[in-house]
Amino acid sequence: MAAYRSAAGFQRVLLAFKHVCLKQRCGVIICRYSTVYDPNEKTFDKILIANRGEIACRVIKTCKKMGIKTVAVHSDVDSSAVHVKMADEAVCVGPAPTSKSYLNMDAIMNAVKQTGAQAVHMHLLSKVMFIFLFQDAEEAVKIAGEIGYPVMIKASAGGGGKGMRISWNDEETREGFRFSSQEAASSFGDDRLLIEKFIDNPRHIEIQVLADKHGNALWLNERECSIQRRNQKVVEEAPSTFLDPDTRRAMGEQAVSLAKAVKYSSAGTVEFLVDSQKNFYFLEMNTRLQVEHPITECITGLDLVHQMIRIAKGYKLQQKQSDIPINGWAIESRVYAEDPYKSFGLPSIGRLSQYQEPLNLPNVRVDSGIQEGSDISIYYDPMISKLVTYGKTREEALKKMEEALDNYVIRGVTHNIPLLREIIVHPRFVSGDISTKFLPEVYPDGFKGHMLTAGERRELLATAAALYVAAQLRSQKFLGDLRVSIVPAESRQWELCVELDKGVHMLGVSRAGNNYTVEIDGEKVEVSGEWNLASALLPITINGKHRNLQCLLRTAAGEITLQYLGTSFKLRVLSKLAAYLSKHMPEKIPEDTSSILRSPMPGSVVAVSVKPGDNVAEGQEICVIEAMKMQNSMTAAKTAKVKSVHCKAGDTVGEGDLLVELE
């Protein structure tokens, strides 16, 4: 990535399309805005928001506070989306693909004329940077050779990790050109690419700037964004544990110098890479409000959307640099509809059958654009929400994030909460020892979920046993009364067999009211709780320690899936007799995955590179699947001959669908 220490001397400036460039939805405000919304300060009567989801919802929230009417645009599949319901007016601008709707400039401009909107919020992204634009793969190889490997190939209009590839040699550059250009065209309607030097293993720290049209500019402190996967940020915090006051000031002043040099006005973000010696290198300037802007709002008290609207109207900044504080600590976790066990997160689709944000907790903010019943489709980014927690100290903010993740109920789609929770409790993250290589270094073999300690395993087994008994007792009641006269439940004891991770455990359970004593391998575990089996959350106390679990599945066959410490664990609880009889049941023979290729995610087939009878080598590309604008190359698991092909370019496939069979 570009190694430039100064904001001066930039030779290429890409200015954003912006009349007002706004972003993100506010949930519960955890850090009170110091902003005063002056009803006498005239800005705009109506703003059209040319985006969707939480981005649009965030803008609408502030517009309502300012007395500004809003117009939402939407694709045909988004007609019932939250941002459409929140806006004063709504206009359909085309079918589901973004290139035919949200990036359809003719349709957007027609909507502006139709509604009489005075300003437009768009998520078109421009950057200020040293760049080398190129037209084909061979030119990219030539430029990469001149710069020196490794290099980063990026979509010039990009963001969010889309259209981005790291290349270490000529062949990877050719492949990166192909995938990046296709993703860029699909995501942003612009397949132009740029190439820049890549610096391995740095920190990614960015400075929020705010500049008006009168030559005034401020830096609003930094955001630490080093926790990434596929070059997309996952967890961010403000401030950074790494920066000292002098480095913070130096980076802030450089960022402001850049904004002034290009006569920038609005909110923007100047991104840097920072090495272990606190040398910082200019990366790019994003001329928009970043996804992670809420954590800056938390520590400064500023409503950045409000500031951007004022600036767009021509008002001067209300603050001086000395007015910008660092109050407390804020952390943001990006909650995605993704499977974190596949490459740290491959997209998942589905309908949110149950959805409950942890807004009952203090100092928690959720920026989202969905609700229970919303669909997560293959057409758009799989973000569910931005979960933000705030505290007077970093430790307080981290503890609140643990609690919030445990209280976040998401059903119907696979999500990345297991990964998020593991990140924030990992000793390296807690100590601040992080870089952009954090995930591959901590999980070199991929993310496997929470690894249970012996004590945690006993807690989980005991909870499953107590839950099983509570369910059995409830099934014996009719309208609150026992169905038949039996031995009083207070004196009952149970002998159970609990299976977990192919291990079998014999447990003894006794009950007194809502309290259960579970004996496991000679040790006793005390479990108590309300045992409301209809609730999505299962707050319990285990040996005097409060835990918040979620019961994701419970069947008559004794199968129980519990979300514990963020990770879902599958257990089976059986009576002693049922466990004995189950030994005589035939086991299902696992599928030979080396001879078949199944889609790891829902999406569309972009290309198929083989046909029946072809010989393929291990690792050879067989087909390409696109989901949420990200393209993934599917390769052969072994050297073999292609037996049959079950897909073609343009097909829509679901997770687990058979693509190709090998002999």
Side-chain angles (χ1 to χ4, degrees):
M1 298 181 181
Y4 301 102
R5 295 293 305 275
S6 173
F10 290 100
Q11 299 176 356
R12 184 180 298 271
V13 177
L14 303 179
L15 296 179
F17 172 89
K18 63 184 191 318
H19 188 81
V20 57
C21 183
L22 314 168
K23 208 167 177 249
Q24 315 307 336
R25 171 199 178 214
C26 286
V28 169
I29 302 302
I30 61 177
C31 37
R32 296 183 185 276
Y33 289 141
S34 59
T35 297
V36 175
Y37 305 96
D38 184 355
N40 297 318
E41 188 177 71
K42 184 66 175 177
T43 55
F44 302 102
D45 296 322
K46 185 184 293 187
I47 291 177
L48 183 142
I49 303 162
N51 215 305
R52 66 181 302 278
E54 50 91 20
I55 301 171
C57 294
R58 170 65 182 94
V59 180
I60 293 171
K61 192 82 173 183
T62 289
C63 285
K64 286 183 181 295
K65 293 178 182 178
M66 297 177 68
I68 300 172
K69 292 187 176 182
T70 54
V71 179
V73 297
H74 63 89
S75 66
D76 53 10
V77 298
D78 269 348
S79 59
S80 298
V82 174
H83 77 282
V84 175
K85 296 176 181 178
M86 288 180 66
D88 297 293
E89 301 176 52
V91 179
C92 182
V93 289
T98 54
S99 61
K100 298 179 180 179
S101 52
Y102 296 102
L103 295 179
N104 183 343
M105 291 302 101
D106 289 339
I108 298 296
M109 294 313 298
N110 286 336
V112 172
K113 295 175 183 177
Q114 176 184 333
T115 60
Q118 299 167 315
V120 180
H121 159 253
M122 303 192 72
H123 186 52
L124 289 181
L125 170 64
S126 294
K127 302 175 188 296
V128 179
M129 64 186 73
F130 277 109
I131 60 175
F132 298 90
L133 288 164
F134 51 92
Q135 301 300 319
D136 57 45
E138 293 310 312
E139 188 179 355
V141 168
K142 179 183 176 183
I143 293 173
E146 293 171 354
I147 296 175
Y149 288 109
V151 297
M152 175 75 82
I153 300 171
K154 303 168 64 175
S156 65
K162 296 179 177 67
M164 188 179 294
R165 293 289 191 281
I166 299 169
S167 170
W168 295 82
N169 54 52
D170 290 354
E171 188 56 38
E172 289 184 0
T173 298
R174 293 185 180 93
E175 184 179 82
F177 174 86
R178 177 164 67 102
F179 284 126
S180 293
S181 60
Q182 291 172 353
E183 287 179 2
S186 178
S187 298
F188 313 113
D190 184 349
D191 64 356
R192 290 177 299 171
L193 302 177
L194 59 91
I195 191 167
E196 60 192 22
K197 181 66 177 175
F198 175 71
I199 299 174
D200 195 23
N201 212 35
R203 284 176 179 258
H204 186 143
I205 300 177
E206 61 192 29
I207 300 292
Q208 176 72 58
V209 296
L210 198 61
D212 63 24
K213 298 177 180 179
H214 304 275
N216 304 305
L218 304 171
W219 49 275
L220 309 183
N221 304 308
E222 79 279 4
R223 295 187 289 257
E224 172 70 73
C225 306
S226 297
I227 306 299
Q228 303 180 6
R229 56 100 177 89
R230 296 195 301 277
N231 304 302
Q232 187 177 40
K233 301 159 190 172
V234 179
V235 176
E236 302 102 342
E237 61 182 309
S240 169
T241 61
F242 190 63
L243 296 191
D244 56 67
D246 289 340
T247 307
R248 176 179 296 116
R249 185 181 306 107
M251 293 177 69
E253 289 174 353
Q254 293 257 344
V256 165
S257 295
L258 170 58
K260 288 183 175 180
V262 300
K263 294 182 172 55
Y264 182 72
S265 63
S266 193
T269 298
V270 182
E271 303 195 11
F272 296 93
L273 298 180
V274 185
D275 67 20
S276 60
Q277 303 304 309
K278 297 184 180 177
N279 298 308
F280 54 91
Y281 304 85
F282 172 75
L283 175 60
E284 64 188 25
M285 181 177 180
N286 286 321
T287 54
R288 61 180 169 99
L289 199 59
Q290 298 282 79
V291 169
E292 57 274 18
H293 82 273
I295 55 178
T296 296
E297 293 185 326
C298 286
I299 67 169
T300 63
L302 296 178
D303 181 339
L304 296 184
V305 175
H306 172 254
Q307 297 297 325
M308 297 174 79
I309 294 175
R310 293 187 70 259
I311 291 169
K313 187 61 177 177
Y315 291 108
K316 290 183 179 181
L317 293 178
Q318 298 170 312
Q319 297 81 17
K320 302 185 298 294
Q321 190 62 57
S322 58
D323 297 328
I324 306 303
I326 298 180
N327 290 330
W329 213 284
I331 298 171
E332 175 179 289
S333 293
R334 298 193 186 192
V335 182
Y336 282 101
E338 292 181 338
D339 186 344
Y341 301 98
K342 298 177 180 177
S343 301
F344 298 114
L346 291 184
S348 169
I349 64 171
R351 177 165 293 174
L352 290 167
S353 57
Q354 194 170 9
Y355 183 73
Q356 182 178 316
E357 296 174 347
L359 295 175
N360 59 306
L361 303 175
N363 289 342
V364 172
R365 165 177 169 173
V366 182
D367 285 24
S368 66
I370 49 87
Q371 61 188 3
E372 191 166 288
S374 292
D375 288 314
I376 307 296
S377 76
I378 64 173
Y379 297 107
Y380 309 116
D381 186 89
M383 178 181 283
I384 293 174
S385 73
K386 301 176 304 187
L387 176 63
V388 180
T389 58
Y390 175 79
K392 294 180 180 178
T393 64
R394 185 172 187 260
E395 180 182 13
E396 189 177 307
L398 283 173
K399 286 295 183 185
K400 184 59 65 174
M401 182 61 74
E402 282 186 58
E403 187 180 3
L405 289 168
D406 286 343
N407 280 270
Y408 207 146
V409 177
I410 303 172
R411 305 281 194 275
V413 297
T414 305
H415 54 76
N416 67 334
I417 282 180
L419 175 62
L420 295 172
R421 199 183 189 285
E422 284 300 291
I423 290 172
I424 64 166
V425 300
H426 194 279
R428 273 190 56 181
F429 183 84
V430 173
S431 68
D433 177 20
I434 61 176
S435 74
T436 56
K437 295 290 186 182
F438 178 87
L439 288 179
E441 286 177 355
V442 171
Y443 308 107
D445 299 320
F447 180 66
K448 307 296 183 184
H450 182 73
M451 299 292 108
L452 294 169
T453 65
E456 291 168 348
R457 183 174 294 273
R458 285 193 294 271
E459 286 188 8
L460 182 59
L461 292 168
T463 301
L467 181 63
Y468 173 86
V469 172
Q472 291 293 309
L473 291 174
R474 190 182 72 164
S475 69
Q476 295 174 1
K477 294 185 177 181
F478 180 70
L479 294 180
D481 295 323
L482 292 175
R483 292 182 177 180
V484 294
S485 298
I486 58 174
V487 178
E490 298 293 329
S491 62
R492 288 287 304 274
Q493 293 189 345
W494 294 263
E495 286 186 301
L496 302 176
C497 174
V498 183
E499 300 173 4
L500 171 64
D501 294 335
K502 298 182 180 179
V504 179
H505 306 265
M506 299 305 300
L507 279 63
V509 182
S510 59
R511 171 180 175 265
N514 287 330
N515 304 317
Y516 293 85
T517 300
V518 184
E519 187 169 337
I520 309 171
D521 301 327
E523 295 195 32
K524 290 186 177 180
V525 180
E526 303 291 337
V527 187
S528 61
E530 293 298 323
W531 306 106
N532 181 355
L533 303 183
S535 173
L537 298 172
L538 188 65
I540 58 174
T541 300
I542 308 176
N543 287 341
K545 182 166 49 180
H546 177 73
R547 296 286 196 194
N548 212 326
L549 286 76
Q550 296 185 35
C551 183
L552 307 181
L553 174 72
R554 183 170 52 82
T555 71
E559 296 170 329
I560 295 176
T561 301
L562 293 176
Q563 183 174 307
Y564 170 67
L565 302 178
T567 295
S568 298
F569 294 93
K570 295 181 179 180
L571 305 97
R572 188 164 72 142
V573 183
L574 301 172
S575 66
K576 191 174 182 180
L577 175 60
Y580 170 76
L581 295 175
S582 69
K583 295 178 181 178
H584 302 283
M585 298 293 290
E587 294 186 5
K588 183 179 179 180
I589 300 175
E591 188 176 52
D592 179 13
T593 56
S594 66
S595 296
I596 59 173
L597 181 66
R598 293 188 181 276
S599 179
M601 60 195 165
S604 59
V605 179
V606 175
V608 178
S609 307
V610 299
K611 61 182 182 301
D614 286 354
N615 292 314
V616 294
E618 181 180 351
Q620 180 178 333
E621 181 178 289
I622 290 180
C623 63
V624 177
I625 305 294
E626 180 181 273
M628 276 80 169
K629 310 306 177 186
M630 297 291 286
Q631 295 194 357
N632 299 270
S633 177
M634 304 290 103
T635 59
K638 65 179 181 180
T639 299
K641 179 180 287 187
V642 177
K643 180 181 179 181
S644 58
V645 178
H646 298 270
C647 63
K648 63 181 183 301
D651 284 355
T652 299
V653 295
E655 181 178 355
D657 283 2
L658 182 62
L659 303 175
V660 175
E661 290 182 274
L662 303 177
E663 293 182 352

